[in-house]
């Protein structure tokens, strides 16, 4: 067991990463299965209202309005971008909604940044294949669908308004 509240969990290989009151911690799965609680603190930011993502040896997370990366084994954190509300890590970069609701793409190392479109969204972002699905953040009957290949977006309409309080799940079907 761990002392304190756990906000989110991710498994990567033989390690379990947890967002806790003490920050992001790592525990080998073998120790977790034996009921031991030897954890190493990877980063001291408490992510109570957001989660983190793991890709290619790094943890990515938003704290406040900043997007960070930190090696998954610990080390110095790096601010990749400021004024970020939501993000999704992909092999092509990190797709983000900034404070203006614009869809941007930040390189995995934070050295490049490109604005893809201005949406004014206060919602969530989900990337599936070659498209980003972005909710508005309001009670609307559509989501934005940004096509990376066409470099343009359209509105995908629904019969009823979508609630800003529930996520939209994108599947291939």
């Amino acid at each position: 067991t761990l002392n304190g509240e756990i906000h989110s969990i991710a498994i990567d290989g033989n390690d379990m990463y947890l967002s806790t009151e003490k920050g992001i911690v790592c525990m080998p799965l073998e120790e977790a299965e034996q009921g031991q609680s030897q954890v190493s603190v990877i980063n001291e930011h408490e992510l109570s209202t957001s989660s983190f993502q793991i890709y290619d040896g790094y943890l990515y997370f938003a704290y406040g309005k900043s997007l960070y990366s930190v090696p998954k084994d610990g080390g110095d954190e790096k601010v990749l971008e400021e004024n970020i509300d939501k993000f999704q890590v992909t092999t092509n970069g990190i797709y983000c909604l900034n404070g203006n609701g614009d869809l941007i793409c930040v390189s995995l190392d934070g050295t490049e940044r490109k604005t893809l479109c201005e949406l004014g969204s206060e919602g969530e972002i989900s990337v599936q294949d070659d498209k980003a699905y972005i909710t508005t953040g309001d009670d609307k009957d559509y989501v934005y669908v940004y096509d990376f290949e066409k470099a343009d977006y359209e509105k995908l309409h629904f019969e009823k308004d979508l609630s800003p309080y529930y996520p939209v799940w994108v599947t291939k079907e």
Side-chain angles (χ1 to χ4, degrees):
T1 61
L2 292 174
N3 292 334
E5 190 171 336
I6 297 171
H7 306 295
S8 57
I9 299 173
I11 305 282
D12 186 50
N14 294 320
D15 295 317
M16 179 169 46
Y17 294 85
L18 304 102
S19 171
T20 70
E21 294 171 338
K22 296 180 182 189
I24 302 172
V25 300
C26 177
M27 178 189 317
L29 283 174
E30 185 176 297
E31 291 181 13
E33 290 171 357
Q34 296 172 3
Q36 299 175 359
S37 60
Q38 294 289 47
V39 298
S40 56
V41 177
I42 305 301
N43 187 276
E44 294 183 354
H45 288 304
E46 180 183 0
L47 308 177
S48 60
T49 59
S50 63
S51 62
F52 59 94
Q53 297 176 28
I54 303 171
Y55 180 72
D56 201 25
Y58 286 87
L59 299 174
Y60 296 91
F61 61 92
Y63 185 78
K65 292 280 191 179
S66 298
L67 177 65
Y68 291 88
S69 71
V70 63
K72 72 177 192 170
D73 297 326
D76 293 335
E77 65 186 35
K78 180 179 180 182
V79 176
L80 302 178
E81 185 69 24
E82 299 285 348
N83 194 26
I84 294 300
D85 285 331
K86 305 294 180 190
F87 73 98
Q88 178 70 54
V89 178
T90 73
T91 57
N92 296 323
I94 308 166
Y95 294 99
C96 307
L97 291 176
N98 68 13
N100 297 327
D102 301 337
L103 176 63
I104 65 171
C105 184
V106 177
S107 62
L108 292 169
D109 62 2
T111 59
E112 298 176 35
R113 177 194 184 282
K114 180 180 180 183
T115 299
L116 302 175
C117 63
E118 298 174 0
L119 299 173
S121 171
E122 295 179 7
E124 301 285 335
I125 181 172
S126 176
V127 176
Q128 177 77 23
D129 297 326
D130 60 346
K131 293 182 174 63
Y133 298 84
I134 303 141
T135 60
T136 63
D138 294 321
D139 288 326
K140 302 286 184 185
D141 68 345
Y142 63 88
V143 295
Y144 298 107
V145 181
Y146 183 86
D147 188 311
F148 298 120
E149 291 178 11
K150 295 178 182 175
D152 199 11
Y153 73 94
E154 63 182 347
K155 293 178 181 177
L156 177 61
H157 288 272
F158 298 92
E159 290 181 20
K160 297 183 179 183
D161 286 350
L162 303 173
S163 172
Y165 304 108
Y166 299 103
V168 173
W169 295 96
V170 179
T171 65
K172 290 187 180 213
E173 296 180 18

